[in-house]
Each structure stands twice: as C-alpha cells, then as structure tokens.
Amino acid sequence: MPETTSVPFSEKYRRIATEEAWAPQELLDIYRDLYESRQLDDPGFDSLWGFYGTSDAPRPATVRRKLADLDDERLADMDAAGIDFAILALTSPGVQVLDRDTAVALARDSNDMLSEAVTRHPDRYAALCAIAPQAPELAAKEMERCKALGFKGIINNSHTHGEYLSDQKFWPIFEAAEAMDLPIYLHPNTPPKSMIEPMLEVGLDGAIFGFGVETGLHMLSIITSGVFDQFPRLQMIIGHMGEALPYWSYRLDFMHNAQVSSKRYENLQPLQKKVSDYLKENVYITCSGMAWEPAVRFAQQTLGVDRVMYAMDYPYQYVKQEVLDMDNMDIPDVDKKMFYQGVAEKVFKL
Ligand code: MN
C-alpha cells in the first residue's frame, strides 16, 4: 500500500489526538545513561530504551527526534495528518524509573517545558501533568501546580519500580485527582521484572503484547482494589482500545463475583458495583495504536459512545492512513464527531 501523502483537516469535526508523547532531550539522555550503565535491574526498561534510546535504525532514530520536538516538526506532522489538536504527555516510563528526588525535580522541569509549548501553540496543544508517584504527597502538590498552569489531566506511565497504584500508599494521588477534577491517563510501561521474563524469551514484551497485559492488569487491579468506591468521581483513561478489558468484561464480572462470594482471596473484596460498571462510569478509552473499526465499534457498543475517543500515539505510530480509516468507519456522523472531538472535549474540558 503506498504511503498516504497527507490528510486534509475535516470540516465535520476537530480531530483531537489524545495520547501523544514527548520527552525533553535531557530525559532521553538520562534513559541512555541508565541503559548503558545497566543500573536499574529492570529488563523491560533495558529492552525498550536499549532499542529506542540507542538504535540507529530509521524508526527509533526518528522516534527520538520527534519525541523531543514540540514545535515545527510536530506541528508539520499534525498538519499533514489532519490533526487539529494534540493532548501531550511525557513518554513512558516518564520519571518513574528514577530515584525519588530526581523524579520529583524532573517531573516539575518537564511540566514547565510542556507548559511553555502550550503557551506557544495554544490552539494546537493541551498538556497532561507528569508526576513522580515515588512521592505521592508531592505528586499531589505538583498536580495542583499543573492545574493552575492549565494542564488538563495527569499522565501516569503504569508501574513505578514494580509497584502499582492499587497499593493504598499511592491513593493520595487519586484523592487529589478527584478533588481537582483531573482525569488520570494510565499509559503503558514495560512489564516489571517480576512479570517480563517469559515475554522477553519470545520477544513479546513490548507494545505488541506485554504493554497491554501489564497495563490491563494495572487498570483492573485499580478497579478491584476499590479505588472507585473510595473516589467515585475519579475518571481515568486507558489507551489501546482499553488494553483488552472491554473484550474481557463479561468474564471479569462473572469471575469477580464467583471469587468474591467464595472468599478465595483475602485481597479480593466485594465492590459496590460490577467490574464492567466501573469501566462504563469511571474509565475512558482511546484507540491509540488500534485504529481498527471493529474494535472501535465493539467498545462503543459495550462502554458507550461517550466513553471512546481518538488517539494517534505519535510519534510511535504516525500512520496517516489510520486517520482516513477512522474517517471511513461505518458509524453515524454524530458518533464519529463524539469519537474525534466530543468525548475529548468533555473529559479534558477543552
Ligand atoms: Mn503511547
């Protein structure tokens, strides 16, 4: 198939891309140093950033350059793909692989840089606030600072040193997000050391499969740990068509009920609602990396048209043809406008 040269802007809707990655060059340099020194004991990080951070093959080299750009190249790429507006977020794993103090400082610095880019291009960008979950109380403070700067939500790149937000020590982050009405985008990270070995052995640890397994587990464990019973107004976002959770939701409901009622696990306790209810009431999903009509339609059918939105996953998956494929979906115009524009405007308050 020949590469699509360019996609015109639509007259029917604003195309808002909601999972678009960036990274300051300083952070990319830190990733390279961390990989070369092998000091993290994190085989997933070494697999991902050993590739994207050091390979001179065309794709990783291009991704590195585009990640660090917040001006001409990114805007030209958006123009060429007919993307009106992008929600920008610090790429995975963000500052979450760093030590606590470095992570806190670098989250703040990167938020300042992103805020300046939004100020330069307010009609093209909005931003998600990067946090260091290593310090939950300071993360809540940074969220407050970001909210005042006009940020539209929070980015969390899944696990932090193998720890998950279902652990109550992280719940000050949820409490603050709910109080400030900021949605949290739960973006993939590479699986932690405790999970990744069988995936590495077959080369399936990355975005092809490992990311979805890891992040789906993370989102599900946030639900089953009772986060949304504690913080019922909290809203979260997951990409990649919901990291497979919508497709699993019938079985999640059946087996959660079966295991809770038989008291099989001490840490799997009753919830106020069904697992699938939380997916419909507290979770938005995006089509990042999954511009595939049957999956979009299935998600709209099961979660609701008001829960599913567009994302490109730039610069990792900059495929202009996918925009045309989404335009050409056989769904009503009013639903397509919700998908590209309406849902994002609502969840990010654009
Ligand atoms: Mn992504």
Side-chain angles (χ1 to χ4, degrees):
M1 188 163 47
E3 213 213 329
T4 309
T5 50
S6 74
V7 179
F9 290 103
S10 171
E11 287 168 14
K12 294 183 191 157
Y13 34 73
R14 287 172 83 205
R15 294 196 194 94
I16 302 172
T18 56
E19 188 198 296
E20 314 309 307
W22 89 287
Q25 186 59 47
E26 181 190 3
L27 184 62
L28 295 175
D29 294 343
I30 289 174
Y31 288 168
R32 181 186 280 254
D33 290 346
L34 284 172
Y35 168 68
E36 285 174 349
S37 65
R38 303 292 200 285
Q39 61 183 279
L40 282 182
D41 192 28
D42 182 342
F45 176 86
D46 289 342
S47 174
L48 185 69
W49 282 98
F51 175 64
Y52 280 113
T54 67
S55 171
D56 290 322
R59 179 177 142 78
T62 301
V63 164
R64 276 200 300 280
R65 189 187 69 242
K66 288 181 187 290
L67 275 173
D69 178 86
L70 287 172
D71 295 287
D72 295 350
E73 182 169 1
R74 186 178 294 259
L75 291 170
D77 284 346
M78 287 169 64
D79 289 346
I83 302 298
D84 295 271
F85 198 81
I87 309 291
L88 303 176
L90 192 62
T91 200
S92 184
V95 301
Q96 294 169 232
V97 283
L98 307 176
D99 68 82
R100 178 184 183 278
D101 292 348
T102 310
V104 168
L106 204 52
R108 191 182 168 96
D109 288 350
S110 71
N111 287 331
D112 284 341
M113 283 184 256
L114 193 50
S115 178
E116 286 161 17
V118 172
T119 302
R120 289 196 298 278
H121 310 291
D123 54 337
R124 304 305 298 277
Y125 299 152
L128 301 185
C129 171
I131 55 169
Q134 294 94 323
E137 304 288 350
L138 294 179
K141 283 211 161 54
E142 180 64 4
M143 288 155 62
E144 209 172 312
R145 195 181 74 92
C146 283
K147 170 105 179 173
L149 287 169
F151 282 66
K152 303 300 185 188
I154 314 299
I155 179 73
N156 183 91
N157 286 296
S158 203
H159 75 86
T160 302
H161 297 301
E163 296 189 309
Y164 287 86
L165 297 177
S166 49
D167 185 327
Q168 293 201 6
K169 75 179 181 183
F170 294 113
W171 289 19
I173 294 168
F174 293 130
E175 186 181 3
E178 186 194 47
M180 289 182 249
D181 204 9
L182 289 171
I184 300 175
Y185 205 122
L186 188 74
H187 186 277
N189 190 355
T190 54
K193 191 179 182 190
S194 54
M195 189 191 292
I196 202 171
E197 281 305 330
M199 298 180 187
L200 273 174
E201 280 171 21
V202 289
L204 298 176
D205 55 295
I208 184 172
F209 192 69
F211 286 13
V213 171
E214 197 273 342
T215 311
L217 172 70
H218 195 167
M219 187 69 244
L220 182 58
S221 69
I222 287 170
I223 292 172
T224 57
S225 68
V227 165
F228 295 113
D229 287 344
Q230 184 83 22
F231 308 107
R233 288 180 294 107
L234 176 67
Q235 296 294 323
M236 295 188 66
I237 305 154
I238 45 177
H240 316 98
M241 253 23 264
E243 314 292 5
L245 294 177
Y247 203 78
W248 278 76
S249 55
Y250 179 89
R251 190 164 176 80
L252 297 175
D253 286 343
F254 184 90
M255 281 299 168
H256 183 264
N257 181 55
Q259 300 195 337
V260 164
S261 46
S262 55
K263 298 186 167 50
R264 178 169 170 181
Y265 300 98
E266 192 188 335
N267 45 12
L268 200 64
Q269 292 295 320
L271 296 170
Q272 289 174 12
K273 303 175 193 169
K274 289 188 297 185
V275 171
S276 62
D277 291 335
Y278 299 98
L279 290 174
K280 289 174 196 161
E281 293 168 26
N282 298 93
V283 179
Y284 290 87
I285 73 170
T286 80
C287 74
S288 57
M290 281 273 266
W292 189 33
E293 177 172 354
V296 173
R297 291 170 63 124
F298 177 80
Q300 287 185 327
Q301 188 187 345
T302 50
L303 300 188
V305 168
D306 59 348
R307 285 279 159 186
V308 184
M309 59 186 155
Y310 174 72
M312 174 172 267
D313 212 2
Y314 181 91
Y316 296 99
Q317 196 155 334
Y318 180 55
V319 182
K320 295 188 279 290
Q321 178 62 39
E322 291 183 350
V323 178
L324 297 177
D325 293 344
M326 295 289 90
D327 276 1
N328 292 333
M329 288 191 293
D330 185 20
I331 61 175
D333 277 355
V334 60
D335 292 356
K336 215 175 287 176
K337 186 170 180 177
M338 284 291 283
F339 170 74
Y340 266 121
Q341 175 180 353
V343 180
E345 286 180 341
K346 177 171 161 243
V347 65
F348 297 113
K349 301 187 180 61
L350 302 177

